[in-house]
């Protein structure tokens, strides 16, 4: 069926032209129906903690109990100059307040809070030396709206015009959000142009043919258009979310992955032309021989992206679906559009060198023959040297630390950052982002002395600079709000660590005042950042396990091996540690970044593992193919020499595309781009051509255990012979084993259901003993049966047996079930 499909799509130039026309038509129709991607981008939710976190609950309480608190404040800091700084600052604040309070004030300005409109708040709005003042301007609307950003620009223009000789800057959440959008939007066009030019230059050097170099770029253009428009439609319908950062990474990801797939397919096409002069048949051969590896590569990336859906952090949770969509579309384009376009262009695609020269280059260059000889001659030395180098790179992790300060991540000067520094210098480090402690009780607290006692306790707490003069009561009288300013940088790790003790202090004071059914929460940017950190720590640990499981499963299915995925995944982990260490050393130790961006580590792991395994897939799948005619030692050398040039070229292009992210004026994108470029080059020129082949060379016939090399003459049908010498047909044994496995799986399923409905609601001693006996006996019996069958078949387990082995999953589920039940107190008896 697959061969018929290839003949249908690639059987002639006419059919190829129809495939190309189909993709162009689809891209055009979607472009006409979909909204612009930027119009549906959501950049706000990506910087928030999970909706169920304490800080978000506190934020909702503040908004519900104090109307008008849902506005986004812009903070204008006015700093006087010279000996009369106080008077100059006061006069400037008067002029700015008048301009922002009149009828000609900018849209979205809800009110103005300054020493002019609220003299009682002077203690909070005037610096200790009285040389600086703050003007708070609450602004309505969404910071992601263009009209909101224009309003912030108008506020800045008015403030600068009325400030006179004093220094003025607009910062705060409104200013930071506006500057973030500007910083991102300023680099999009530069990044796209740089990516295209860089990839085109590398492709011209690889192919030595202008038309062939354009084929991957055209394919990426089609895939990007289809993915962007489809993503815009899904985002507009509320099915997925897309942010500016996700869109930027999508651009470089599709250029890198798309050119990788194009190189793999066209290289196999040139190789097929050596034996098959008919171009359509040669292309069909090329696609069929690369389908398994390209499909495994795309599946790994797509599944890794979907793994992000288990994350509770909005920044990670919404990151995957759009990128998974892009890679899936790119894989479809690679299998259809790229081969069709190459066939449609005919022999001119190889101009000026011609078909013969292009086909001859597919035999491999001399350098990869020398690399293969080195690995064959001294595999132990190669492994030792590579491992030593990776360990040295990993030592950079000694300087690892994370940063949660958005403004410190801008690699371009912004007014909001300048304003933040002014506030910290004149008012204290914590004034830029005060926290709000929320205390809620079942009783009305307005006539109670408890609020004053809680305020006093908060003022005495560690790391607290000041507490607002008067607690604010909510509309229900049961909720009290305390404005608390820390004496720490609100985005520092120490400030994040202080949120928990702050909540505990308020809780202890409320308990001491005999407040009934009290709930204590903390709102504000510091509390939200602390919840973001907790969620990211949880998500990163979960993603590490899930992504490794996905990669291992794909490698098992691709290579039909249990051993190979283990050492291949181990090399990926070593590559990740070395990459993160090198990134930390360069960006933090050398370049002086405040730390690694809080989401960067998770991004690096997911992408580097998902993309890095591609090169292992390409060489190991070729190694598996070569084993059909060659012994393992020669097969790995042939795989290395045949794939060396094309895979290295693909890795170079992928690394180059990620390097383009380093042109972006955002710390997170710079660090992510550097790490991915470094890690891909590490996988391309160190792990894949040296470490992996050396391991395979040492393992020999066992490299794909339990599979064994099968060369030209097929082996006789496997027959399991018991000790008494009676032959047992393999098929019959497998069928019997499969039936037993199915029965076993059903038994475990029923046992799980019974445990849930009978024993978990009310655990009994009999139930615990019964469950323990069944669990232990059945599990031991099943494991012994599995090992017995495997030994009798000499570990040559077919596809049927592998499916049967999946029946071992329910026992492991019961183990996890027991652990959960005991941890939650539902199962207290030992088993």
């Amino acid at each position: 069926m697959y061969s018929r499909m290839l003949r249908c799509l690639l059987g002639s130039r006419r059919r190829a032209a129809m495939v190309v026309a189909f993709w162009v038509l689809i891209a055009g129709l979607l472009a006409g129906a979909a909204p612009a991607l930027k119009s549906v981008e959501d950049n706000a939710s990506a910087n928030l903690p999970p909706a169920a976190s304490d800080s978000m609950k506190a934020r909702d309480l503040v908004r519900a109990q104090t109307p008008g608190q849902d506005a986004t404040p812009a903070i204008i800091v006015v700093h006087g100059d010279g000996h009369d700084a106080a008077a100059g600052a006061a006069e400037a604040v008067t002029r700015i307040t008048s301009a922002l309070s009149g009828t000609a004030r900018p849209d979205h300005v809800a009110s103005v809070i300054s020493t002019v409109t609220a003299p009682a708040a002077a203690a909070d709005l005037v610096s200790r030396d009285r040389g600086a003042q703050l003007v708070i301007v609450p602004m309505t609307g969404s910071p992601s709206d263009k009209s909101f950003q224009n309003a912030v620009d108008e506020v800045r223009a008015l403030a600068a015009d009325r400030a006179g000789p004093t220094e003025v800057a607009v910062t705060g959440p409104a200013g930071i959000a506006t500057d973030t959008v500007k910083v991102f939007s300023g680099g999009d066009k530069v990044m796209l142009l740089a990516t295209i030019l860089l990839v085109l230059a590398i492709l011209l050097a690889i192919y030595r043919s202008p038309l062939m170099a354009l084929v991957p770029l055209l394919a990426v253009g089609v895939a990007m258009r289809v993915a962007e428009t489809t993503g815009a439609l899904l985002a507009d319908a509320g099915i997925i979310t897309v942010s500016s950062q996700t869109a930027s990474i999508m651009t470089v990801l599709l250029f890198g992955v798309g050119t990788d797939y194009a190189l793999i397919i066209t290289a196999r096409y040139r190789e097929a032309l050596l034996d098959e002069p008919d171009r359509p048949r040669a292309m069909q051969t090329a696609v069929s021989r690369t389908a398994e590896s390209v499909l495994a590569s795309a599946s790994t990336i797509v599944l890794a992206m979907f793994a992000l859906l288990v994350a509770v952090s909005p920044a990670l949770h919404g990151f995957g679906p759009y990128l998974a969509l892009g890679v899936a579309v790119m894989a479809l384009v690679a299998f259809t559009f790229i081969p069709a376009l190459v066939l449609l262009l005919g022999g001119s695609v190889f101009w000026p060198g011609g078909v013969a020269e292009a086909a001859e280059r597919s035999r491999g260059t001399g350098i990869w023959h020398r690399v293969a000889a080195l690995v064959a001659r001294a595999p132990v030395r190669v492994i030792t040297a590579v491992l030593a180098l990776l360990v040295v790179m990993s030592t950079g992790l000694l300087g690892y630390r994370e940063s949660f300060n958005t403004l410190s991540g801008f690699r371009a000067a912004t007014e909001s950052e300048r304003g933040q520094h002014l506030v910290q210098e004149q008012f204290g480090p914590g004034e830029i982002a005060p926290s709000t402690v929320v205390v809620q009780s079942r009783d009305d607290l307005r006539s109670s002395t408890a609020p004053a006692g809680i305020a006093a306790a908060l003022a005495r707490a560690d790391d607290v600079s000041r507490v607002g003069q008067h607690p604010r009561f909510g509309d229900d009288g049961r909720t009290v709000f305390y404005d608390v300013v820390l004496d720490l940088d609100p985005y520092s790790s120490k400030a994040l660590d202080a949120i928990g003790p702050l909540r505990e202090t308020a809780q202890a004071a409320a308990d001491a005042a005999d407040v009934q059914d009290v709930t204590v929460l903390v709102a504000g940017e510091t509390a939200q950042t602390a919840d973001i950190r907790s969620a990211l720590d949880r998500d990163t640990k979960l993603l590490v396990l899930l992504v490794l499981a996905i990669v291992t499963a794909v490698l098992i299915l691709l290579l039909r091996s249990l051993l190979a995925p283990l050492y291949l995944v181990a090399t990926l982990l070593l590559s990740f540690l070395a990459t993160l260490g090198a990134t930390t050393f360069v960006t933090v130790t050398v370049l002086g970044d405040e730390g690694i961006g809080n989401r960067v580590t998770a991004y690096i792991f997911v992408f580097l593992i998902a993309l890095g395994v591609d090169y292992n897939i390409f060489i190991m799948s070729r190694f598996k193919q070569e084993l059909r005619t060659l012994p393992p030692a020669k097969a790995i050398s042939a795989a290395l020499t045949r794939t060396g040039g094309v895979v290295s070229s693909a890795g170079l292009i992928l690394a180059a595309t990620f390097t383009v992210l380093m042109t972006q004026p955002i710390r997170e994108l710079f660090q992510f781009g550097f790490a991915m470029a470094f890690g891909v080059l590490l996988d391309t020129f160190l792990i894949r051509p040296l470490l992996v082949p050396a391991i395979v060379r040492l393992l020999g016939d066992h490299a794909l255990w339990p599979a064994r090399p099968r060369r030209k003459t097929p082996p006789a049908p496997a027959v399991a012979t018991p000790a008494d010498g009676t032959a047992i047909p393999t098929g019959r044994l497998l069928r019997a084993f499969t039936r037993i496995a199915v029965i076993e799986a059903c038994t475990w399923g029923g046992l799980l259901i019974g445990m849930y409905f009978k024993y978990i609601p009310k655990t009994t001693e009999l139930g615990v003993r019964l469950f323990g006996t069944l669990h232990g006996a059945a599990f031991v019996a099943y494991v012994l049966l599995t090992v017995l069958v495997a030994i009798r078949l000499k570990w040559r387990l077919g596809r049927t047996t592998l499916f049967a082995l999946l029946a071992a999953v329910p026992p492991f589920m019961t183990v996890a079930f027991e652990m959960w039940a005991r941890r939650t107190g539902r199962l207290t008896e030992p088993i």
Side-chain angles (χ1 to χ4, degrees):
M1 185 179 66
Y2 183 64
S3 300
R4 288 197 300 270
M5 184 182 67
L6 288 179
R7 287 195 297 271
C8 178
L9 297 176
L10 307 173
S12 65
R13 292 183 68 179
R14 182 179 178 181
R15 294 178 180 179
M18 293 175 64
V19 172
V20 172
F22 168 80
W23 279 108
V24 173
L25 180 62
I26 289 294
L29 291 176
L30 288 174
L37 185 63
K38 284 189 174 296
S39 67
V40 296
E41 287 180 352
D42 179 11
N43 296 309
S45 61
N47 296 314
L48 292 176
S53 61
D54 286 347
S55 61
M56 295 299 285
K57 295 177 182 176
R59 187 197 68 170
D60 294 340
L61 269 177
V62 171
R63 291 180 175 180
Q65 295 293 324
T66 55
Q69 294 298 313
D70 57 343
T72 305
I75 300 176
I76 305 175
V77 54
V78 181
H79 181 217
D81 190 21
H83 65 282
D84 204 12
E91 293 173 2
V93 167
T94 301
R95 294 191 297 268
I96 292 172
T97 302
S98 176
L100 295 176
S101 302
T103 57
R105 68 180 182 272
D107 294 337
H108 297 281
V109 172
S111 61
V112 180
I113 304 172
S114 68
T115 53
V116 177
T117 61
D124 298 336
L125 299 175
V126 181
S127 64
R128 294 177 182 176
D129 62 1
R130 310 192 66 79
Q133 292 192 28
L134 299 179
V135 178
I136 312 299
V137 185
M139 303 187 68
T140 59
S142 173
S144 61
D145 292 342
K146 186 65 176 177
S147 59
F148 181 94
Q149 298 156 19
N150 291 336
V152 172
D153 290 337
E154 292 179 29
V155 169
R156 282 174 166 164
L158 279 174
D161 183 62
R162 301 297 194 276
T166 61
E167 184 180 8
V168 64
V170 177
T171 184
I176 294 173
T178 300
D179 285 341
T180 301
V181 173
K182 288 182 178 179
V183 170
F184 266 109
S185 61
D188 284 347
K189 295 180 181 179
V190 175
M191 185 187 68
L192 180 59
L193 180 61
T195 303
I196 293 174
L197 293 178
L198 185 59
V199 171
L200 180 60
I202 298 176
L203 288 174
L204 285 172
I206 294 171
Y207 284 127
R208 306 173 193 175
S209 169
L211 287 179
M212 184 63 89
L214 289 175
V215 168
L217 294 180
L218 293 174
V220 170
V222 170
M224 185 177 297
R225 195 59 180 159
V226 173
E228 283 183 353
T229 50
T230 306
L233 288 171
L234 295 175
D236 192 45
I239 299 175
I240 66 173
T241 58
V242 180
S243 66
S244 298
Q245 197 173 59
T246 310
S248 298
I249 294 177
M250 169 72 98
T251 300
V252 298
L253 180 64
L254 288 191
F255 269 98
V257 171
T259 50
D260 275 12
Y261 295 162
L263 283 168
I264 297 298
I265 293 172
T266 55
R268 215 58 192 278
Y269 173 55
R270 291 182 300 175
E271 187 176 334
L273 287 173
L274 289 171
D275 303 319
E276 177 56 73
D278 183 78
R279 289 171 190 158
R281 284 202 293 268
M283 181 59 78
Q284 293 169 40
T285 301
V287 173
S288 63
R289 290 180 178 175
T290 57
E292 188 178 45
S293 58
V294 172
L295 181 61
S297 167
S299 300
T300 304
I301 301 173
V302 170
L303 291 174
M305 294 301 103
F306 275 123
L308 292 171
L309 290 175
V310 304
V312 296
S313 307
L316 295 178
H317 184 84
F319 196 75
Y322 181 55
L323 297 178
L325 170 67
V327 174
V329 171
M330 189 67 251
L332 289 175
V333 170
F335 278 125
T336 56
F337 180 85
I338 291 176
L341 185 57
V342 171
L343 288 179
L344 186 61
L345 293 173
S348 61
V349 76
F350 297 113
W351 181 86
V355 178
E357 180 181 333
E360 189 62 30
R361 289 205 307 271
S362 67
R363 297 183 183 276
T365 58
I367 185 172
W368 294 109
H369 288 283
R370 291 193 291 273
V371 171
L374 171 64
V375 171
R377 185 172 60 253
V380 175
R381 293 182 183 179
V382 169
I383 293 174
T384 303
V386 174
L387 291 180
L389 186 58
L390 293 176
V391 170
V392 170
M393 293 178 183
S394 301
T395 57
L397 290 172
L398 296 175
Y400 179 85
R401 60 179 180 271
E402 293 183 344
S403 173
F404 291 85
N405 191 339
T406 302
L407 285 180
S408 70
F410 292 159
R411 294 183 177 272
T414 60
E415 185 173 338
S416 53
E417 184 179 18
R418 181 164 59 89
Q420 187 184 56
H421 290 160
L422 279 174
V423 172
Q424 290 177 337
E425 291 172 2
Q426 299 298 320
F427 293 87
E431 294 287 349
I432 190 63
S435 298
T436 302
V437 177
V438 183
V439 178
Q440 189 176 47
S441 172
R442 70 178 183 184
D443 301 321
D444 196 319
L445 298 175
R446 282 174 287 197
S447 59
S448 171
T449 59
I454 296 173
L458 289 172
R460 295 191 301 269
D462 294 337
D463 302 318
V464 173
S465 173
R466 66 176 181 84
V467 178
Q469 291 183 340
H470 303 289
R472 294 180 285 116
F473 288 91
D475 292 342
D476 60 2
R478 300 184 296 107
T479 309
V480 190
F481 304 97
Y482 302 89
D483 294 324
V484 179
V485 177
L486 301 176
D487 60 4
L488 302 167
D489 180 346
Y491 303 102
S492 66
S493 296
K494 290 184 178 180
L496 305 187
D497 294 337
I499 294 298
L502 192 66
R503 183 169 51 245
E504 293 169 1
T505 298
Q507 183 75 50
D511 293 341
D514 199 26
V515 179
Q516 300 298 316
D517 295 335
V518 66
T519 299
V520 179
L521 302 170
V522 183
E525 292 193 38
T526 304
Q528 289 185 5
T529 306
D531 284 339
I532 290 174
R533 182 178 66 172
S534 299
L536 285 173
D537 289 344
R538 175 262 185 198
D539 290 342
T540 301
K541 295 174 184 176
L542 183 60
L543 285 172
V544 166
L545 298 177
L546 189 55
V547 172
L548 290 180
I550 289 171
V551 171
T552 303
V554 171
L555 289 173
I556 289 175
L557 293 175
L558 174 68
L559 302 176
R560 307 294 194 272
S561 169
L562 297 178
L563 177 61
L566 297 181
Y567 61 77
L568 292 178
V569 169
T571 63
L572 293 174
L573 288 174
L574 289 172
S575 175
F576 165 72
L577 293 175
T579 298
L580 189 58
T583 303
T584 302
F585 177 77
V586 172
T587 60
V588 177
T589 306
V590 177
L591 298 181
D593 281 352
E594 186 178 281
I596 299 294
N598 54 84
R599 291 167 286 186
V600 171
T601 300
Y603 290 165
I604 293 174
F605 180 83
V606 173
F607 277 87
L608 192 59
I609 297 297
L611 293 175
V613 75
D614 284 0
Y615 306 112
N616 287 335
I617 286 174
F618 293 146
I619 190 172
M620 291 301 290
S621 61
R622 187 59 184 261
F623 168 65
K624 184 182 172 185
Q625 293 176 12
E626 297 292 343
L627 279 175
R628 298 170 184 170
T629 57
L630 297 172
K634 293 184 178 180
I636 190 62
S637 296
L640 181 55
T641 54
R642 285 299 182 94
T643 64
V646 62
V647 174
S648 298
S649 300
L652 185 62
I653 290 179
L654 185 61
T657 56
F658 277 107
T659 302
V660 176
L661 285 176
M662 297 171 64
T663 64
Q664 297 292 283
I666 306 290
R667 174 188 58 206
E668 279 73 13
L669 288 181
F670 180 91
Q671 292 175 344
F672 178 66
F674 175 87
M676 288 304 302
F678 185 89
V680 168
L681 292 176
L682 204 62
D683 285 328
T684 304
F685 295 103
L686 203 65
I687 304 295
R688 188 263 313 171
L690 294 176
L691 184 58
V692 170
I695 295 174
V696 172
R697 180 72 176 81
L698 281 180
L699 292 175
D701 288 345
H702 303 286
L704 296 179
W705 183 90
R708 303 283 290 181
R710 296 182 180 181
R711 287 179 281 280
K712 290 182 180 180
T713 303
V719 176
T721 304
D724 59 3
T726 305
I728 300 178
T730 302
R732 185 182 303 173
L733 182 59
L734 284 177
R735 285 193 298 271
F737 178 60
T738 303
R739 289 167 185 159
I740 294 174
V742 171
I743 295 172
E744 182 76 10
C746 293
T747 302
W748 282 112
L751 189 58
L752 281 172
I753 295 173
M755 278 295 301
Y756 181 79
F757 285 106
K758 183 176 181 179
Y759 299 126
I760 292 304
K762 185 177 180 180
T763 303
T764 63
E765 184 178 358
L766 176 62
V768 171
R769 291 179 179 177
L770 177 64
F771 177 74
T773 303
L774 287 175
H775 177 274
F779 185 62
V780 170
Y782 185 79
V783 170
L784 290 176
L785 178 63
T786 304
V787 173
L788 176 62
V789 173
I791 291 175
R792 290 202 170 190
L793 295 179
K794 299 181 179 179
W795 300 102
R796 293 179 181 177
L797 304 181
R799 185 176 303 174
T800 304
T801 311
L802 289 177
F803 279 115
L805 287 174
L806 293 177
V809 172
F812 289 104
M813 290 175 60
T814 59
V815 173
F817 197 85
E818 291 173 20
M819 294 175 62
W820 169 80
R822 285 200 299 267
R823 183 170 297 178
T824 56
R826 291 176 172 84
L827 194 63
T828 56
E829 295 290 335
I831 293 180

